[in-house]
């Protein structure tokens, strides 16, 4: 991986981790800074979300400072210039899911374009 690609992946990882931070999630203005205007998500429930509707989840206390989301195995790949795909495993208070995020570089920085979660019975 080139240095440029490593920097892009690291920037996307840092942005993803910010989105999982309970203090960021509690502030819709900070969440919106990280979401692409065309953001979509297919949640672990199968529900489809956009940037506006996802704010009800992020600001609703789904992640608390006392019980942060546990992340493991996060890695990324540059798919094209300015596009990074991240994958990782997340455990949110026993709700375990494989996660996949597409980040794209915009004039204002890295923004989450698409996210998908799939419930997992185990990590195998």
């Amino acid at each position: 991986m080139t240095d440029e690609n490593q920097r892009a992946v690291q920037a996307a990882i840092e942005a993803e981790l910010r989105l999982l931070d309970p203090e960021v999630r509690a502030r819709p203005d900070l969440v919106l800074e990280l979401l692409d205007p065309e953001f979509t998500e297919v949640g672990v429930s199968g529900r489809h979300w956009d940037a506006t509707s996802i704010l009800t989840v992020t600001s609703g206390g789904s992640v608390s400072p006392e019980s942060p989301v546990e992340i493991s195995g996060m890695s990324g790949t540059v798919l094209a210039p300015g596009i990074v795909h991240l994958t990782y495993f997340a455990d949110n208070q026993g709700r375990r899911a494989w996660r996949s995020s597409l980040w794209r570089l915009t004039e204002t920085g890295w923004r989450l374009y698409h996210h998908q979660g799939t419930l997992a019975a185990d990590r195998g």
Side-chain angles (χ1 to χ4, degrees):
M1 184 181 307
T2 68
D3 286 347
E4 184 177 337
N5 285 355
Q6 286 177 337
R7 283 190 299 275
V9 168
Q10 188 57 42
I13 287 173
E14 289 171 8
E16 185 85 25
L17 293 174
R18 279 195 71 213
L19 268 177
L20 294 169
D21 181 323
E23 291 181 18
V24 172
R25 293 173 73 87
R27 300 235 345 245
D29 59 320
L30 296 180
V31 172
L32 286 175
E33 287 177 6
L34 294 166
L35 297 182
D36 192 274
E38 297 178 37
F39 169 80
T40 59
E41 176 173 335
V42 178
V44 295
S45 66
R47 182 172 174 186
H48 289 246
W49 306 85
D50 61 16
T52 302
S53 63
I54 200 68
L55 292 177
T56 61
V57 173
T58 58
S59 62
S62 62
V63 176
S64 70
E66 297 78 28
S67 302
V69 177
E70 296 177 28
I71 301 299
S72 59
M74 188 176 287
S75 64
T77 302
V78 174
L79 300 178
I83 304 290
V84 172
H85 179 223
L86 298 180
T87 57
Y88 59 98
F89 187 81
D91 185 332
N92 183 9
Q93 301 177 34
R95 188 170 196 185
R96 301 156 43 96
W98 294 102
R99 301 283 181 169
S100 175
S101 294
L102 286 175
W103 287 84
R104 72 177 171 182
L105 185 59
T106 69
E107 292 177 2
T108 59
W110 287 94
R111 299 278 190 110
L112 181 58
Y113 177 74
H114 180 76
H115 182 79
Q116 175 147 2
T118 303
L119 282 179
D122 59 45
R123 295 187 55 191

